[in-house]
């Protein structure tokens, strides 16, 4: 059992509520302060883009850090002239908020494995405090919970939350950007998940309000070349189910070889087998938490 139960009440309050999305913890830097303090809202007056890392965080690892680091680089959003839009041209480092999103869908019916949501939230807590130090220009870093499985539903619930908790005119300019690996990107655009509706109909509103930021990964099922040309192929109409103009909202960046091999499942396997090869795949605080709490030994 975790040494702290700081997230027990907010987690179970959310599970038992009718809400489908909620921010349960935010670190924010106000004015010119370099010190992040707990805050009630993910949105600050300067926020123009929310980078959403949706994952199981089981456990959080350096691959997640790589996604966040690259998503904060403003050059990635307009390095290709076809991807220029008004909001990204003028974006500054302090205009991006970070949201770590954990899905607890059916949490009241299915016991999460291999680790509890509470333990994962504690590791996410350690992660965002580390992120606030590593990326000091990010003024707002949050932990959020959702009950949705599909990205389109997650996007709608987040936007509704923002509009309900803040004046609409203050949040209408904010762009959501989901941070994903290439395997997830392929699943998002797989037509079978939207049957009997057409993919273009199901995701049109989502793609109008949301960007997707993707890092390629080492994947034996899809070559590096096929991954790197995926967006260009969409633009050129080579994916008949995906409208070509959606390519303007997909930002695909080549990942480093070392980071692309990291996965939560491999870390869990190493821990279960007694190997220490996972120690350099997570931040020291999360490594210590996993060891002290004896996580992933079942």
């Amino acid at each position: 059992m975790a040494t702290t139960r700081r997230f027990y009440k907010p987690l179970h309050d959310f599970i038992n509520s009718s809400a489908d999305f909620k921010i349960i913890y935010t670190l924010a830097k106000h004015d010119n302060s370099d010190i992040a303090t707990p805050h009630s809202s993910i949105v600050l007056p300067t926020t123009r883009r929310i980078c959403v890392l949706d994952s199981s965080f089981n456990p959080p690892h350096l691959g997640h850090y790589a996604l966040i680091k690259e998503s904060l680089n403003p050059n990635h959003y307009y390095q290709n002239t076809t991807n220029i839009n008004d909001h990204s041209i003028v974006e500054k480092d302090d205009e991006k908020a970070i949201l770590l999103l954990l899905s607890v869908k059916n949490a009241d019916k299915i016991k999460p494995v291999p680790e509890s949501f509470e333990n994962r939230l504690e590791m996410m807590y350690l992660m965002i405090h580390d992120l606030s130090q590593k990326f000091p220009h990010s003024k707002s870093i949050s932990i959020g919970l959702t009950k949705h499985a599909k990205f389109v539903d997650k996007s709608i619930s987040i936007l509704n939350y923002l509009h309900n908790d803040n004046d609409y005119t203050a949040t209408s300019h904010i762009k959501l950007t989901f941070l994903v690996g290439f395997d997830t990107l392929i699943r998002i655009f797989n037509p079978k998940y939207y049957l009997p509706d057409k993919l273009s109909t199901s995701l049109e509103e989502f793609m109008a309000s949301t960007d997707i930021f993707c890092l390629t990964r080492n994947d034996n099922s899809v070559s590096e070349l096929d991954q790197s040309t995926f967006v260009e192929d969409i633009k050129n109409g080579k994916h008949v189910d995906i409208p070509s103009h959606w390519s303007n909202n997909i930002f695909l960046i080549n990942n480093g070889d070392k980071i692309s091999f990291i996965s939560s499942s491999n870390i869990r396997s190493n821990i279960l087998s007694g190997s220490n090869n996972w120690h350099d795949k997570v931040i020291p605080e999360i490594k210590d938490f996993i060891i002290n709490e004896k996580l992933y030994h079942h």
Side-chain angles (χ1 to χ4, degrees):
M1 179 177 291
T3 56
T4 177
R5 294 173 67 85
R6 83 179 86 226
F7 291 114
Y8 180 85
K9 187 177 188 306
L11 170 64
H12 289 275
D13 283 351
F14 174 71
I15 290 172
N16 295 322
S17 74
S18 61
D20 57 359
F21 170 78
K22 186 174 180 61
I23 298 292
I24 61 169
Y25 189 81
T26 295
L27 279 180
K29 297 176 182 178
H30 299 279
D31 301 322
N32 294 321
S33 174
D34 290 328
I35 300 176
T37 56
H39 188 59
S40 60
S41 176
I42 184 176
V43 174
L44 300 178
T46 58
T47 307
R48 296 182 66 84
R49 183 185 295 273
I50 300 176
C51 297
V52 184
L53 179 54
D54 174 57
S55 174
S56 63
F57 298 102
N58 205 11
H61 54 70
L62 296 187
H64 296 135
Y65 275 77
L67 255 176
I68 292 171
K69 178 182 178 181
E70 295 301 330
S71 73
L72 295 177
N73 184 344
N75 294 327
H76 290 327
Y77 295 95
Y78 54 93
Q79 61 181 352
N80 186 326
T81 55
T82 61
N83 284 335
I84 290 181
N85 50 55
D86 292 340
H87 65 270
S88 61
I89 292 175
V90 297
E91 276 181 9
K92 300 176 183 178
D93 289 344
D94 63 354
E95 293 177 340
K96 297 186 183 70
I98 300 170
L99 170 60
L100 306 186
L101 184 63
L102 178 67
S103 175
V104 293
K105 182 176 173 61
N106 294 328
D108 55 337
K109 298 180 180 178
I110 301 174
K111 182 179 180 181
V113 293
E115 280 306 328
S116 69
F117 291 126
E118 201 173 339
N119 280 337
R120 286 187 244 172
L121 286 168
E122 189 63 29
M123 289 187 281
M124 293 164 71
Y125 172 85
L126 296 173
M127 182 178 180
I128 69 168
H129 278 268
D130 187 70
L131 288 169
S132 72
Q133 299 297 316
K134 285 187 168 66
F135 306 111
H137 293 299
S138 295
K139 299 294 186 181
S140 173
I141 309 176
S142 303
I143 297 174
L145 300 174
T146 181
K147 293 176 182 174
H148 293 296
K150 293 181 179 179
F151 280 88
V152 60
D153 297 324
K154 292 172 183 177
S155 177
I156 292 172
S157 67
I158 294 172
L159 290 172
N160 287 339
Y161 179 90
L162 294 175
H163 295 162
N164 290 334
D165 278 28
N166 300 274
D167 182 75
Y168 180 79
T169 58
T171 60
S172 58
H173 65 278
I174 292 176
K175 191 82 167 181
L176 294 184
T177 303
F178 279 90
L179 316 182
V180 302
F182 190 79
D183 55 336
T184 302
L185 180 67
I186 294 299
R187 287 199 299 272
I188 291 174
F189 294 119
N190 190 327
K192 75 176 185 180
Y193 294 118
Y194 306 96
L195 295 174
D197 297 325
K198 293 177 62 176
L199 173 67
S200 58
T201 302
S202 299
L203 290 186
E204 183 58 41
E205 185 176 349
F206 170 77
M207 292 304 296
S209 62
T210 310
D211 287 338
I212 299 176
F213 186 94
C214 177
L215 287 184
T216 60
R217 63 180 300 167
N218 187 282
D219 189 338
N220 294 329
S221 64
V222 184
S223 70
E224 183 177 344
L225 177 61
D226 286 342
Q227 291 184 59
S228 63
T229 60
F230 182 72
V231 177
E232 191 68 18
D233 287 346
I234 292 175
K235 177 185 174 182
N236 294 328
K238 294 183 179 180
H239 293 274
V240 294
D241 293 309
I242 307 175
S244 60
H245 67 275
W246 288 2
S247 63
N248 295 331
N249 297 86
I250 307 170
F251 304 92
L252 183 64
I253 309 300
N254 289 327
N255 201 356
D257 289 339
K258 183 178 179 181
I259 295 295
S260 66
F261 280 98
I262 298 177
S263 72
S264 294
S265 59
N266 286 341
I267 291 173
R268 296 195 301 268
S269 295
N270 283 335
I271 295 172
L272 190 60
S273 66
S275 169
N276 293 332
N277 290 338
W278 62 276
H279 284 188
D280 63 349
K281 308 297 191 300
V282 300
I283 63 170
E285 293 83 356
I286 290 178
K287 180 198 76 173
D288 292 341
F289 181 80
I290 291 173
I291 292 173
N292 292 337
E293 299 300 325
K294 298 179 173 57
L295 305 187
Y296 305 114
H297 285 286
H298 51 82

